[in-house]
């Protein structure tokens, strides 16, 4: 836990002017990467993720194949230009960890038994980073998987929540993320009421954890509605083009 050089809450407002329960502007779109079987772009304010999904396709080398289930591979990477100082594009500990946890968040929703011996590759690219990039990546990946026609139990919606200057907040930006007393990343299958992923840093009381989970659920449900609307609009557009 680092000490902030500036207060993060001034007169009830956050450094970007938001109220504690306010989410940044969310934008979603589908299908921009034409080579991919499915793709999606999701932004929360200045944080922007673009995800490409390829597959299901044959998995080689063959010894990796499972006869009864398919494989899901996820690679998270932050572009060198996504932050102020050039980020080394080589995989680092952080991106290896995020690839693993976002894969788990998504795998819970995928019917892997529907594509035995095959693989689905998910490439999560952060093109602008200003906090909460892993949850932006999960939201975009879930949309990209659905748009690729991968059989899923539900969409996965994710958000961050946390505590700064003794105040519980949602959707942390970069500064809030770095100086928070605690931050949590949560992913859910909202229609099933199931949490597929939860990570927490810092210290919180039990009451604060429960309060933050409630806030996360509300935000995830809003994101979920937006995801469904984005898919539906894309589907309608394709129907009209036919
Ligand atoms: P998340 O982006 O999921 O919140 P972290 O908590 O690891 O994951 O990162 C918080 C924020 O710190 C990022 O969203 C980004 O704004 C910033 N950040 C992370 N890595 C770097 C980096 N190598 N250079 C500059 N900023 C970074």
């Amino acid at each position: 836990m680092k000490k902030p050089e500036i207060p993060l809450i001034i007169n009830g407002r956050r450094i970007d002017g938001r109220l504690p329960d306010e989410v940044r502007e969310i934008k979603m779109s589908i299908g921009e990467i034409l080579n991919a079987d499915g793709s999606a772009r999701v932004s929360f304010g200045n944080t922007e993720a673009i995800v490409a999904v390829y597959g299901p396709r044959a998995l080689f080398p063959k010894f990796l194949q499972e006869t009864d289930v398919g494989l899901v591979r996820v690679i998270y990477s932050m572009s060198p230009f996504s932050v102020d100082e050039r980020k080394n594009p080589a995989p680092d500990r952080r991106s290896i960890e995020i690839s693993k946890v976002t894969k788990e968040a998504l795998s819970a929703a995928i019917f892997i038994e529907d594509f035995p011996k095959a693989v689905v590759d998910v490439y999560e690219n952060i093109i602008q980073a200003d906090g909460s990039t892993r949850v932006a990546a999960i939201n975009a990946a879930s949309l990209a998987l659905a748009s690729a026609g991968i059989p899923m139990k539900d969409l996965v919606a994710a958000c961050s929540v946390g505590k700064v200057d003794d105040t519980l907040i949602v959707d942390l930006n970069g500064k809030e993320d770095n100086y928070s007393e605690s931050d949590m990343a949560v992913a859910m299958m909202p229609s099933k009421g199931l949490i597929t992923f939860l990570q927490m840093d810092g210290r919180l009381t039990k009451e604060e954890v429960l309060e933050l989970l409630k806030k996360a659920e509300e935000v995830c449900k809003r994101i979920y509605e937006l995801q469904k609307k984005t898919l539906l609009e894309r589907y309608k557009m394709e129907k009209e083009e036919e």
Side-chain angles (χ1 to χ4, degrees), residues 171-223:
D171 181 29
L172 280 66
N173 66 33
K175 270 226 165 80
E176 290 171 335
D177 211 316
N178 285 333
Y179 297 116
S180 62
E181 287 148 55
S182 176
D183 68 88
M184 257 163 78
V186 182
M188 304 185 67
M189 289 195 272
S191 77
K192 299 196 173 290
L194 291 176
I195 292 178
T196 66
F197 156 85
L198 195 153
Q199 280 190 302
M200 183 187 138
D201 265 349
R203 278 168 178 268
L204 292 170
T205 64
K206 185 178 160 198
E207 289 70 32
E208 286 169 337
V209 170
L210 293 174
E211 182 64 27
L212 282 176
L213 277 176
K214 215 162 88 193
K215 287 181 190 297
E217 188 178 356
E218 280 162 24
V219 176
C220 283
K221 282 188 172 155
R222 270 188 52 200
I223 292 169

Side-chain angles (χ1 to χ4, degrees), residues 29 34 49 73 78 103 158 184 201 212 238:
S29 59
L34 300 178
R73 289 190 292 216
M78 246 168 68
K103 175 189 156 168
M184 257 163 78
D201 265 349
L212 282 176
E238 280 173 12

Side-chain angles (χ1 to χ4, degrees), residues 47 76 78 83-85 87 92 94 98 129-135 174 177-178 183 201:
T47 288
Y76 163 101
M78 246 168 68
V83 282
D84 291 344
E85 258 181 57
K87 150 101 179 53
D92 50 15
R94 177 178 171 274
I98 297 180
D130 185 18
S132 312
T133 62
R134 74 193 65 200
V135 292
D177 211 316
N178 285 333
D183 68 88
D201 265 349

Side-chain angles (χ1 to χ4, degrees), residues 107-173:
S107 296
I110 302 173
F111 285 106
I112 49 171
E113 57 278 18
D114 281 9
F115 47 95
K117 297 186 183 176
V119 62
V120 170
D121 283 304
V122 181
Y123 298 98
E124 303 171 340
N125 296 283
I126 304 302
I127 54 174
Q128 283 203 136
D130 185 18
S132 312
T133 62
R134 74 193 65 200
V135 292
I138 292 171
N139 288 319
S142 160
L143 267 181
L145 283 162
S147 76
I150 306 298
M152 290 168 82
K153 298 168 193 164
D154 196 4
L155 288 165
V156 180
C159 72
S160 65
V161 288
K163 183 178 169 189
V164 294
D165 287 358
D166 250 342
T167 308
L168 301 184
I169 60 168
V170 303
D171 181 29
L172 280 66
N173 66 33

